[in-house]
Amino acid sequence: MTQFVQVSTATPARQQAVELAKGAVEGRLAAGSQIIGPVGSVFWHLGEFGEGRSGG
């Protein structure tokens, strides 16, 4: 069986996501990377409902 790990994260700006992806692939920490955005989220945090958008 093939094993893999998928990691997702968000950054305040698209360029930060590009640099993070490049570093992971160039450093052989990732076989590939996808950058999508803007990503919208809705969530509970510290007892409060929130929503946000990143990667734009």
Side-chain angles (χ1 to χ4, degrees), residues 41-53:
S41 299
V42 292
F43 50 87
W44 283 100
H45 181 68
L46 300 176
E48 294 186 22
F49 180 82
E51 55 186 299
R53 185 175 129 167

Side-chain angles (χ1 to χ4, degrees), residues 6-54:
Q6 179 175 335
V7 176
S8 299
T9 191
T11 60
R14 183 174 181 84
Q15 188 57 39
Q16 289 173 317
V18 170
E19 293 301 319
L20 183 61
K22 283 182 178 180
V25 174
E26 288 173 348
R28 306 266 191 227
L29 299 172
S33 182
Q34 295 77 42
I35 300 167
I36 59 173
V39 174
S41 299
V42 292
F43 50 87
W44 283 100
H45 181 68
L46 300 176
E48 294 186 22
F49 180 82
E51 55 186 299
R53 185 175 129 167
S54 69

